[in-house]
Amino acid sequence: MKITFCCTDTKAEPWLQGLAAALPGADITVWQPGAPQADYAVVWAPPQQFIDEQPALRALFNIGAGVDALLKLRLPPFVRVVRLDDAGMAVQMAEYVCHAVIRHFREFDQYEAAMQAGQWSYRKPRLRQDFPVGVMGLGVLGERVARAVAQFDFPVLGWSRSPKQMAGVRCFSGQEGFNEFLAATRVLVNLLPLTPETQGIMNRDTLARLLPGAYVINVARGAHLVEEDLLALIDAGHVAGATLDVFLTEPLPAGHPFWGHPKITLTPHTSARTLRDESIAQIAGKIAALARGEAVAGVVDAGRGY
């Protein structure tokens, strides 16, 4: 079994050591142009040259949850693209979103500013039922986030492409349920995969449908959000603010209006980092299963984009 590793901006040696320990006997190497054909590949943002030189791959294992960049490449027609199901990212995402929701709801940013200004003051408590949290995208990460937020007694809504049912979550689906979902949401959390259908889904029209004083949390992809529309709705007072972890251009360019904006909290695409040991164990298990002719979870439907 030959496995090639082609991950941009990733230190290869720890991955090679971990995969070798999990798959004894496998020939595991870092890809170089002109390298021999491999059976499987572990990748992150590989160049088109890599894909073109490896037409016989049985599967590409992406070391992140999002596969939008990989699907933009010209892939061999029969290669399977396999994403990570979780590998420690779901609990990180739940932590991040719950922190952002609670920080906004409890107005901890306002308390922090007051204390830094030497002011000892209280704010009127707000009611959880007035802050329904809507989660867009109910995959592995979205379900974990929705369940975590519900533990704090917020009303939780979920929207997905196909119908789903979750205890304690009011679920909507499809285009027919989208506007109703938005109209019932005050805190919008985006966990959708990036596809042609979801690009720019958070725009002036959709964000304006949220309850007044809405709050936006984007932890999926920067291209889901029309940045100037968010800024316009914040200026107009319909949106109270946002917590953003992903951006159209990363790193966020100097001089971007998000920098220093008093109503926008920024983090550098760190809401859920790939945990190497968990990822290696999952990838190695799936490679072994495919080698035995077994089905594996996480195979991407290229037509849907996830």
Side-chain angles (χ1 to χ4, degrees):
M1 179 191 302
K2 294 184 180 297
I3 302 171
T4 186
F5 183 87
C6 182
C7 296
T8 303
D9 298 327
T10 302
K11 188 176 181 181
E13 192 57 36
W15 284 86
L16 300 184
Q17 292 175 354
L19 288 166
L23 295 166
D27 180 6
I28 307 169
T29 58
V30 176
W31 177 77
Q32 299 291 338
Q37 295 293 301
D39 302 303
Y40 304 98
V42 178
V43 301
W44 180 254
Q48 183 64 51
Q49 182 183 359
F50 167 79
I51 301 297
D52 293 342
E53 290 186 1
Q54 295 287 327
L57 287 171
R58 295 182 59 191
L60 288 162
F61 290 86
N62 199 54
I63 66 169
V67 295
D68 45 286
L70 188 55
L71 293 181
K72 291 177 182 177
L73 300 176
R74 298 185 305 275
L75 301 177
F78 301 109
V79 68
R80 278 173 282 197
V81 175
V82 186
R83 57 173 170 75
L84 292 175
D85 300 322
D86 180 347
M89 287 186 286
V91 66
Q92 296 178 69
M93 195 68 80
E95 289 171 342
Y96 184 100
V97 172
C98 286
H99 176 271
V101 170
I102 293 167
R103 182 174 183 267
H104 172 63
F105 169 68
R106 294 287 302 275
E107 299 184 276
F108 287 144
D109 55 340
Q110 300 295 326
Y111 281 116
E112 180 180 350
M115 296 299 277
Q116 289 178 346
Q119 300 170 359
W120 185 280
S121 61
Y122 295 100
R123 304 182 71 83
K124 182 180 178 180
R126 305 200 283 193
L127 302 177
R128 280 173 172 75
Q129 59 263 36
D130 292 337
F131 286 80
V133 179
V135 179
M136 290 199 301
L138 294 176
V140 172
L141 301 182
E143 285 194 16
R144 181 64 178 268
V145 166
R147 289 198 303 269
V149 172
Q151 292 296 310
F152 293 96
D153 294 341
F154 291 99
V156 179
L157 304 82
W159 180 80
S160 54
R161 175 175 172 172
S162 55
K164 293 197 173 183
Q165 292 185 343
M166 290 181 61
V169 177
R170 184 183 173 195
C171 292
F172 301 80
S173 63
Q175 192 57 46
E176 64 278 6
F178 189 46
N179 288 341
E180 187 180 358
F181 162 80
L182 293 172
T185 294
R186 175 157 281 125
V187 180
L188 181 67
V189 180
N190 178 41
L191 278 154
L192 290 169
L194 181 61
T195 68
E197 291 73 26
T198 64
Q199 185 164 346
I201 194 170
M202 291 185 291
N203 54 52
R204 186 183 298 266
D205 176 65
T206 55
L207 296 179
R209 295 176 185 272
L210 299 170
L211 290 168
Y215 195 80
V216 175
I217 300 170
N218 189 17
V219 288
R221 287 290 185 267
H224 284 124
L225 175 67
V226 180
E227 297 177 345
E228 59 268 27
D229 288 358
L230 172 66
L231 290 166
L233 287 169
I234 290 176
D235 290 343
H238 183 75
V239 173
T243 292
L244 306 176
D245 185 54
V246 290
F247 309 92
L248 194 58
T249 301
E250 296 182 3
L252 190 64
H256 192 285
F258 285 167
W259 286 116
H261 195 293
K263 295 183 178 180
I264 298 178
T265 298
L266 309 176
T267 52
H269 203 147
T270 193
S271 55
R273 304 288 294 275
T274 298
L275 300 182
R276 187 176 59 239
D277 291 346
E278 288 86 342
S279 300
I280 288 171
Q282 186 178 132
I283 291 169
K286 290 184 178 184
I287 289 176
L290 288 177
R292 295 191 299 266
E294 299 171 4
V296 298
V299 176
V300 172
D301 181 334
R304 293 191 307 176
Y306 58 93

